[in-house]
């Protein structure tokens, strides 16, 4: 059970046979938070922010060039923009993409776009709160 709860990125409180889940970070439920340092993209400098991606996935350029892989967890992202639809995750649908660097690198030093519907705190077809628009 501990392994399952840890993989959900949540702390569990067991009381009278009930499981209550609380987010690892209070901000994780409402979008991105914190200062992850200055990063440049497309000639502009942004303050990167931490966001919780509840699923890992490839990082890349519009499904034509996988540049790396980002594992699930609290990761930094530079900015976000609208483009083509993300592949659906259950009922989670979006067309916003977050720019970051993957944990595993395939090409382009792992830099690329990550689907917003795998990041906590967003709504369908809306940007992730707390992260700048590119």
């Amino acid at each position: 059970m501990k392994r399952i709860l840890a993989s959900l990125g949540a702390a569990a409180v067991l009381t009278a046979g009930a499981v209550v889940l609380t987010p690892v970070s209070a901000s994780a439920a409402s979008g991105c938070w914190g200062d992850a340092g200055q990063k440049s993209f497309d000639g502009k400098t942004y303050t990167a922010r931490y966001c919780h991606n509840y699923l890992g996935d490839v990082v890349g350029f519009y499904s034509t060039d996988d540049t790396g892989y980002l594992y699930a967890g609290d990761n930094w992202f530079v900015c976000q923009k609208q483009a083509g639809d993300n592949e659906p995750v259950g009922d989670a649908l979006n067309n916003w993409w977050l720019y970051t660097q993957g944990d595993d690198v395939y090409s382009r030093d792992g830099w690329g776009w990550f689907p917003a519907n795998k990041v906590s705190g967003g709504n369908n077809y809306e940007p992730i709160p707390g992260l700048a628009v590119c």
Side-chain angles (χ1 to χ4, degrees):
M1 176 125 179
K2 284 184 180 178
R3 185 170 293 190
I4 292 169
L5 293 171
S7 71
L8 293 172
V13 178
L14 299 173
T15 26
V19 176
V20 179
L21 297 176
T22 56
V24 171
S25 164
S27 298
S30 60
C32 303
W33 71 96
D35 181 343
Q38 300 294 300
K39 310 285 184 195
S40 294
F41 170 72
D42 204 21
K44 297 179 183 172
T45 301
Y46 297 90
T47 298
R49 309 276 306 229
Y50 294 103
C51 310
H52 181 76
N53 57 296
Y54 62 91
L55 291 174
D57 200 359
V58 294
V59 174
F61 287 87
Y62 314 113
S63 302
T64 61
D65 183 16
D66 294 344
T67 58
Y69 189 89
L70 185 66
Y71 294 102
D74 293 341
N75 291 293
W76 57 261
F77 295 86
V78 178
C79 58
Q80 61 187 326
K81 73 176 186 176
Q82 272 186 302
D85 282 343
N86 306 161
E87 186 168 327
V89 178
D91 292 335
L93 306 169
N94 215 319
N95 60 353
W96 284 84
W97 296 82
L98 287 65
Y99 193 68
T100 192
Q101 188 174 31
D103 296 310
D104 292 339
V105 174
Y106 307 153
S107 64
R108 299 186 190 201
D109 291 326
W111 286 97
W113 298 98
F114 187 85
N117 63 342
K118 294 183 180 175
V119 176
S120 299
N123 292 313
N124 286 346
Y125 294 105
E126 292 184 12
I128 302 298
L131 187 63
V133 173
C134 300

